Amino acid sequence: MDAVRVALLREVLAGTEWLGATRHFAGTLRGSVVSHGGGLLLVGTPEYEPWHLAAHLVDEAAWSGTPELAPTLVRHDARPTDPAHLAVGLGRLEAARRGETLLVVAPGDPPAALLERASDARRAGATLLSLGPEAGELPALAHEVLPVPNGSELDLDTVQHLVSAAAGENALPARRGRRRFRDRLSRLADLLTAPPPTRW
């Protein structure tokens, strides 16, 4: 889905909770990887690998000048003979440490082995984000959750497009309510380092 289609989708969704929810989640994702210096791990389930989201985040990282957004796609059936960007297996989750961010994308309840590794990564200090299930062990374990329940007006693939596009925006909409000092400082740094607006 290109930028024009994302913009049209946002117009259609104006007035719904989806825009705010996806932007908030994207802001959390971006804030986590930027403030900790990167290290974004992206994993799905054996049946659902979020390779499409990985590709979009790589593009957004390049376009936004935020290399920290480029993820490492962790695969359940990775083989050493696969291309380098597809050869990272679940063992990488065991090596997750403080400062890294783990984004789990699943259309339903992930398998117990993945939950165990995600829990271990969180205990080791990684920030855990969940995109998909509304209830269950994964959302209960995650620091931040964007639920995409079965039967909702948007499917998981569409929500991933909205999240990746919002994560690459240079100026995410400010959240309402009191913000932490680090959030305000990060926003100020973004504004000061942003290129000047183009005048026609």
Side-chain angles (χ1 to χ4, degrees):
M1 187 178 294
D2 58 28
V4 173
R5 289 183 182 168
V6 170
L8 290 172
L9 180 59
R10 285 176 171 171
E11 282 185 33
V12 170
L13 295 173
T16 71
E17 294 180 6
W18 282 110
L19 288 184
T22 53
R23 281 188 163 139
H24 174 77
F25 188 81
T28 300
L29 171 63
R30 181 180 173 125
S32 178
V33 298
V34 170
S35 66
H36 293 119
L40 174 58
L41 303 173
L42 176 62
V43 66
T45 66
E47 300 79 25
Y48 186 90
E49 289 190 334
W51 59 268
H52 203 67
L53 176 59
H56 281 293
L57 285 172
V58 167
D59 289 343
E60 293 296 340
W63 295 331
S64 67
T66 312
E68 299 91 346
L69 280 175
T72 298
L73 179 61
V74 178
R75 301 179 62 226
H76 291 262
D77 295 321
R79 295 179 299 270
T81 56
D82 290 335
H85 67 288
L86 299 175
V88 179
L90 289 178
R92 178 61 181 88
L93 299 185
E94 296 168 8
R97 295 290 175 257
R98 180 172 306 282
E100 292 186 302
T101 302
L102 172 58
L103 172 55
V104 181
V105 180
D109 293 328
L114 178 55
L115 286 170
E116 184 178 336
R117 285 184 165 100
S119 178
D120 290 346
R122 179 181 167 134
R123 274 197 300 275
T127 301
L128 178 60
L129 307 178
S130 166
L131 178 57
E134 184 174 27
E137 291 184 55
L138 179 60
L141 187 63
H143 291 98
E144 186 79 27
V145 177
L146 179 56
V148 186
N150 288 330
S152 63
E153 57 270 20
L154 295 183
D155 63 13
L156 187 57
D157 290 335
T158 303
V159 172
Q160 289 175 70
H161 284 292
L162 291 170
V163 168
S164 62
E169 292 176 345
N170 283 325
L172 292 169
R175 287 184 300 215
R176 291 187 179 168
R178 194 174 177 129
R179 292 186 296 170
R180 295 181 306 171
F181 175 74
R182 190 170 68 187
D183 294 333
R184 294 194 309 266
L185 189 59
S186 175
R187 171 108 172 104
L188 177 61
D190 285 344
L191 290 172
L192 291 174
T193 59
T198 304
R199 298 189 184 272
W200 300 97

